[in-house]
Amino acid sequence: MKFLFIGDIVGKSGRKAVKTHLENNEYDFIIANVENSAAGFGVTERVYNELKNMGIHAMTAGNHTWDKKETENLIHNWEGFIRPANLGSRVLGKGYNIFNAAGRKICVINLLGRVFMNLSNCPFECFDNIYESLDKDCFIIVDFHGEATSEKIAFGNYVKNRAHVVTGTHTHVQTNDLKLMENTLYLTDAGMCGAYNSILGMEVESIIDKFITNMPHRFKVETKGDILFNGFSFTLSDDNIISDYKLINEVYENIEL
Ligand SMILES: [Fe+2]
Ligand SMILES: [Fe+2]
């Protein structure tokens, strides 16, 4: 069974990179972080359906989950959408979800880091609680949405041999440390899909000006030039052995699709 995890999809350029990569879709199960997929901020119904139609089964989020107002009203309809689990119990939506694919149970969990991020509950304890509640035959994939590499590596070590796959998201810069931590496939950050010449997928000028002046700015997704696809893939055997894992870091021409 072949899996693909796609790093933060940023706006139209990111969606185009995903569509290009999936033209010859050879995967049985696809997970993507979609927190920036609608014009760089959050997700909309239209974008959710567009990504679903591309073949993405599970969509995780992060600190940008609620950027679009319609998310609050529509989140219950988005079957494959998972917002961070370590939020209060009154928060809408679900923090993990169990999918059935190729005769297996796959649990996808989304967690927020707490270092250089807004307030949330402890992601380590949150994982423990979810893990205790799951059937033992679940294949568990965690998207740990965080800023600090140390926190993500600590989390990987904490859950190794319990979660089967742990990947970081949020920084939009792919790290080069995809490896097995004993039986757990681990990556600090999956990177992003978006404009290749950009600052984390956004237009360069306004971000530079923000750093210099700290004045309020409206950031826009960069839509010109080449587009980047970041993620990783792996194969899972019937007896839960992970093999053939590899980083994907492709640059495509920005052709009209
Ligand atoms: Fe992001
Ligand atoms: Fe984020």
Side-chain angles (χ1 to χ4, degrees):
M1 186 172 180
K2 200 154 181 202
F3 287 74
L4 173 68
F5 187 98
I6 302 171
D8 298 34
I9 301 169
V10 186
K12 194 165 101 176
S13 308
R15 302 199 306 273
K16 200 182 274 192
V18 172
K19 192 167 184 190
T20 307
H21 186 79
L22 292 178
E23 264 167 14
N24 306 307
N25 186 348
E26 62 199 52
Y27 306 101
D28 301 295
F29 195 78
I30 303 176
I31 309 122
N33 186 295
V34 303
E35 69 151 8
N36 309 108
S37 57
F41 299 93
V43 63
T44 60
E45 175 113 315
R46 187 181 68 78
V47 166
Y48 172 83
N49 285 325
E50 182 184 327
L51 294 170
K52 193 176 162 199
N53 291 335
M54 286 183 204
I56 297 171
H57 302 90
M59 298 185 212
T60 51
N63 52 308
H64 288 290
T65 305
W66 311 107
D67 284 1
K68 293 283 189 284
K69 187 70 191 153
E70 69 179 78
T71 301
E72 285 177 34
N73 300 325
L74 299 172
I75 192 167
H76 290 299
N77 301 333
W78 302 346
E79 203 34 56
F81 186 80
I82 303 150
R83 48 86 177 155
N86 51 329
L87 304 174
S89 59
R90 299 181 195 184
V91 175
L92 299 172
K94 45 190 180 285
Y96 66 97
N97 200 7
I98 295 159
F99 300 82
N100 290 296
R104 315 183 69 117
K105 265 190 267 182
I106 301 157
C107 178
V108 179
I109 306 172
N110 188 206
L111 291 167
L112 274 176
R114 297 201 292 182
V115 180
F116 309 128
M117 304 286 284
N118 288 335
L119 289 176
S120 62
N121 297 328
C122 177
F124 294 69
E125 289 180 356
C126 183
F127 175 84
D128 289 342
N129 293 334
I130 295 170
Y131 181 75
E132 284 309 314
S133 73
L134 293 175
D135 291 345
K136 294 303 162 223
D137 60 345
C138 260
F139 185 75
I140 303 170
I141 301 172
V142 182
D143 172 353
F144 190 100
H145 195 80
E147 182 75 32
T149 50
S150 57
E151 189 184 22
K152 292 190 251 191
I153 296 168
F155 181 83
N157 277 280
Y158 184 71
V159 303
K160 75 180 173 200
N161 300 328
R162 292 192 288 159
H164 299 88
V165 178
V166 175
T167 180
T169 55
H170 176 68
T171 70
H172 294 204
V173 178
Q174 189 177 69
T175 56
N176 194 20
D177 58 343
L178 183 66
K179 64 178 176 186
L180 280 172
M181 276 185 181
E182 297 178 18
N183 297 316
T184 298
L185 185 64
Y186 174 82
L187 175 65
T188 297
D189 206 292
M192 74 154 187
C193 300
Y196 183 70
N197 290 306
S198 67
I199 297 179
L200 312 186
M202 311 307 271
E203 285 179 355
V204 168
E205 291 74 18
S206 58
I207 305 268
I208 292 176
D209 202 62
K210 171 80 182 171
F211 279 115
I212 294 172
T213 67
N214 207 22
M215 299 276 286
H217 286 78
R218 284 192 65 200
F219 301 129
K220 274 172 59 189
V221 167
E222 179 57 78
T223 54
K224 298 183 295 299
D226 290 348
I227 47 178
L228 174 71
F229 180 92
N230 275 174
F232 65 98
S233 62
F234 62 93
T235 302
L236 180 67
S237 69
D238 288 341
D239 46 357
N240 271 1
I241 305 294
I242 293 172
S243 63
D244 291 336
Y245 49 91
K246 60 172 188 281
L247 287 172
I248 307 169
N249 182 13
E250 301 271 5
V251 180
Y252 303 116
E253 226 181 297
N254 191 4
I255 36 159
E256 260 334 297
L257 293 168

